[in-house]
Amino acid sequence: VTDLIMPGMNGQKLAEALRLEPNNAFYHFKMAELLRASGYPSQALQAIQQAVFHAPEEAIYHYWMGDLLIHLCRHEEALGALRAAIELSLGDDLFFARAAVAFWAVGRPTEAVKSIRLASDLDPDKNHYYALLERFLRAQGLLEEAALEMPKVALMDNYDRDLLARALREAGL
């Protein structure tokens, strides 16, 4: 990863930091962020895998890897990373929400619904969770159940709509 020519000084400094401290998980994580933002998702995956290797107890690294794997349409692998993140941090709604997307994408709608329900239970103020749940239920033909979510769906703002659109796209809906 550090052999890549990175745009800007940040990449050069980060590559040098990794050369000096190759076991520093945070540096690998920052390199993964930089690579993903620079349009190198496969290389970002290599970097985040190193972060997970060096700090397997850090839920955020597992989550970040799962999110990247969803972006790469490697949903089954994403589930493994997200499962690890959830086990390390049971109370993080975002981990469950991203797992719901991966579950739906691999054809496991029951698990997707359970996961997004858990996310909405953990943070009931995120209306896009209810909208995603509504879409999952409607796609399964559970129209009465889906209709129960509509009052909260109606409260979504533009930010929520953007998050929902991304999740639906990634889930294949």
Side-chain angles (χ1 to χ4, degrees):
V1 169
T2 56
D3 294 338
L4 289 174
I5 299 174
M6 298 301 304
M9 188 54 103
N10 286 338
Q12 292 172 356
K13 287 181 180 179
L14 197 47
E16 179 62 16
L18 275 168
R19 188 184 68 72
L20 295 172
E21 293 183 56
N23 297 332
N24 187 314
F26 182 71
Y27 291 165
H28 285 286
F29 171 64
K30 295 312 282 182
M31 180 62 80
E33 285 184 326
L34 182 60
L35 287 164
R36 185 176 185 177
S38 299
Y40 299 100
S42 296
Q43 292 85 348
L45 181 58
Q46 293 171 10
I48 196 62
Q49 287 169 330
Q50 285 299 304
V52 168
F53 177 78
H54 292 294
E57 72 286 355
E58 293 294 330
I60 190 67
Y61 299 156
H62 292 278
Y63 158 76
W64 204 91
M65 184 166 63
D67 186 67
L68 179 60
L69 286 163
I70 289 172
H71 173 75
L72 292 169
C73 297
R74 294 168 59 176
H75 300 102
E76 198 68 53
E77 292 171 78
L79 284 171
L82 292 166
R83 186 173 294 115
I86 289 168
E87 287 172 4
L88 291 166
S89 182
L90 284 173
D92 198 311
D93 61 286
L94 184 57
F95 298 174
F96 285 101
R98 297 305 286 153
V101 169
F103 276 129
W104 189 270
V106 298
R108 295 169 62 184
T110 301
E111 291 92 338
V113 168
K114 285 179 186 176
S115 193
I116 198 62
R117 282 189 197 273
L118 282 168
S120 66
D121 287 347
L122 288 167
D123 192 342
D125 294 328
K126 291 185 178 167
N127 294 316
H128 67 282
Y129 290 169
Y130 299 102
L132 187 57
L133 174 58
E134 186 272 337
R135 292 294 294 271
F136 286 167
L137 293 169
R138 190 162 22 110
Q140 293 179 79
L142 302 171
L143 303 181
E144 288 179 24
E145 243 184 287
L148 296 174
E149 305 304 325
M150 291 311 292
K152 294 209 176 181
V153 172
L155 299 174
M156 287 197 316
D157 59 20
N158 287 338
Y159 180 73
D160 290 328
R161 286 184 192 88
D162 286 344
L163 291 173
L164 175 63
R166 174 187 177 204
L168 291 172
R169 188 173 49 255
E170 291 170 333
L173 283 173

